[in-house]
Amino acid sequence: MIIGIIGNGNHSKRIQKILKDKNKKFIIYKPKAPKYFDKKEFEKIKNCKTVFITTPNKTHYLYIKKLWVNRYLFCEKPPVTKKNELKFLKTLSYKKIYFNFNYRFSMMAKIISDTKKYNLGELIYINKIATHGLALKNDYKKNWRSNIKNNQYGIFEMVLIHYLDLINYFYKVKKINDLKMNNISRNGTSYDTCKLSFEIGKNLIADFYATYSSPLYKKFLLLFTNGYIEQTENKFSVYGPAKNLDKNGLFKKPKVIKQYKMNHTEDYQNSLKESIHYFLDHSDNKKTFNKKMFVKSLECTSLMINGKNY
């Protein structure tokens, strides 16, 4: 079976490598210019029963609309970027469409799934920082990510949406309370920086920050009443219990309950491989996808577009 791939950028090439490692054969369709559409070449993609959509975010809707009938679709996140497009997705069946929020397969996702066994108590705060210097590179202005016409929500839809989806997948985000987007580098017209605060349930607030205009720095913290989960540059750690006293009766850092040594690049690569494996297992064996995955993808997209869950 020949797989169709739409797009041939850096991320598409990552996916192509994974497919090659799995001995999958594929063809690639990429328009020769942003507004060019080769009907003859696209017919080859339409003959494929499994298609990967790896093009810029604003084009996803176009390809989903052309291909969603009788095919297995793997579409990069976010699924769409406009309200009317999201409305269309809500009319579709979840059975053969998969959106690649691959952090659902990350190490943090695995740890969150096991929080009860660690006796961490109630989740009370979340903080995520993800930064690096993409906007400082000489070729950034030529990248579609720097153009607000192609990347309306900037680094929000490229980076923070992954983590927003991860938290919403497990805890259900209620609404976004505060959203600030800036272009610190002044390179290009899109947003290279985003500060996001949102509400989960009644009493839990989360703060996310991402920028393309600083040195590389990544940290993820989930604080519970009886411990916390922390991702730093090279490891994931679970700490607890909260009551950990020294000989003078003063609080000291909780003990390490569990620890995994893994850097961010390894975690990302592993989650992408697992996400693609999940998709191929379903498409190869003609299985239907989990409805929760589809619904949660639309919820997260709605949060980005509307600022609240639908």
Side-chain angles (χ1 to χ4, degrees):
M1 182 177 66
I2 304 296
I3 293 171
I5 300 177
I6 306 175
N8 197 33
N10 291 333
H11 188 64
S12 177
K13 288 181 171 63
R14 294 187 195 103
I15 292 174
Q16 291 170 36
K17 184 180 183 306
I18 294 171
L19 294 177
K20 287 178 183 176
D21 290 343
K22 293 180 176 293
N23 296 315
K24 298 292 184 180
K25 296 180 180 181
F26 53 83
I27 58 173
I28 300 168
Y29 169 80
K30 183 182 179 182
K32 297 174 183 177
K35 295 183 179 180
Y36 178 80
F37 192 85
D38 191 321
K39 293 182 179 180
K40 184 177 179 180
E41 286 297 311
F42 194 72
E43 281 299 315
K44 297 178 183 178
I45 294 293
K46 291 177 72 174
N47 289 332
C48 299
K49 292 301 181 182
T50 299
V51 177
F52 283 70
I53 301 171
T54 67
T55 51
N57 301 337
K58 78 166 192 175
T59 66
H60 293 174
Y61 173 70
L62 167 69
Y63 293 117
I64 291 172
K65 203 166 185 182
K66 289 180 178 294
L67 295 167
W68 71 273
V69 179
N70 296 324
R71 291 179 189 84
Y72 280 90
L73 292 186
F74 176 106
C75 181
E76 272 304 320
K77 57 77 200 160
V80 293
T81 58
K82 296 179 180 179
K83 290 183 180 180
N84 66 304
E85 298 171 352
L86 181 61
K87 186 177 181 181
F88 169 74
L89 290 188
K90 293 176 186 178
T91 68
L92 303 185
S93 169
Y94 65 91
K95 295 181 179 181
K96 290 187 176 182
I97 300 179
Y98 178 78
F99 302 112
N100 187 35
F101 286 100
N102 54 282
Y103 280 45
R104 297 173 185 176
F105 297 89
S106 66
M107 180 58 72
M108 183 61 81
K110 293 177 174 64
I111 295 172
I112 291 173
S113 298
D114 285 338
T115 50
K116 287 186 178 180
K117 80 176 184 181
Y118 299 128
N119 193 29
L120 297 179
E122 179 185 354
L123 181 63
I124 56 176
Y125 180 68
I126 303 172
N127 179 256
K128 173 64 188 178
I129 302 174
T131 75
H132 62 73
L134 177 64
L136 308 179
K137 296 177 71 174
N138 293 332
D139 59 353
Y140 177 66
K141 281 187 177 181
K142 298 178 182 178
N143 191 302
W144 65 268
R145 293 167 181 80
S146 72
N147 189 328
I148 199 165
K149 292 181 179 179
N150 296 324
N151 193 19
Q152 180 181 351
Y153 299 94
I155 198 170
F156 184 0
E157 67 179 274
M158 298 307 303
V159 176
L160 286 186
I161 195 168
H162 263 305
Y163 302 104
L164 181 65
D165 172 76
L166 176 63
I167 298 305
N168 183 62
Y169 192 77
F170 288 100
Y171 296 109
K172 182 73 172 178
V173 175
K174 184 178 179 181
K175 64 178 180 178
I176 292 176
N177 291 335
D178 185 45
L179 173 63
K180 291 183 173 64
M181 296 194 288
N182 299 300
N183 184 350
I184 292 177
S185 70
R186 301 301 177 197
N187 290 329
T189 56
S190 191
Y191 303 105
D192 63 23
T193 302
C194 180
K195 166 70 167 61
L196 174 67
S197 294
F198 55 90
E199 184 178 330
I200 304 171
K202 294 182 179 179
N203 302 311
L204 172 59
I205 298 295
D207 293 310
F208 284 3
Y209 181 84
T211 185
Y212 288 148
S213 295
S214 81
L216 176 67
Y217 180 79
K218 296 182 185 293
K219 189 172 183 178
F220 205 172
L221 171 69
L222 278 74
L223 182 65
F224 298 78
T225 53
N226 196 42
Y228 60 91
I229 303 168
E230 183 180 52
Q231 179 187 9
T232 55
E233 294 295 337
N234 296 305
K235 59 187 177 182
F236 294 78
S237 305
V238 183
Y239 294 90
K243 190 175 181 181
N244 189 31
L245 308 177
D246 63 18
K247 61 182 180 181
N248 297 315
L250 301 176
F251 280 93
K252 59 181 182 179
K253 188 173 182 176
K255 298 176 182 179
V256 175
I257 300 173
K258 192 76 176 179
Q259 196 167 80
Y260 304 89
K261 291 186 177 180
M262 181 182 295
N263 64 41
H264 289 266
T265 300
E266 292 170 329
D267 186 40
Y268 173 78
Q269 291 173 340
N270 290 341
S271 69
L272 181 59
K273 288 177 183 177
E274 288 195 36
S275 182
I276 291 173
H277 174 79
Y278 174 86
F279 173 78
L280 292 176
D281 175 62
H282 284 68
S283 61
D284 289 350
N285 296 295
K286 296 180 173 54
K287 297 191 290 187
T288 60
F289 292 115
N290 186 313
K291 185 177 181 179
K292 177 184 175 181
M293 285 193 158
F294 181 84
V295 171
K296 287 294 183 179
S297 296
L298 299 194
E299 284 182 0
C300 186
T301 305
S302 177
L303 285 164
M304 181 186 75
I305 295 172
N306 302 313
K308 61 183 179 180
N309 245 318
Y310 71 92

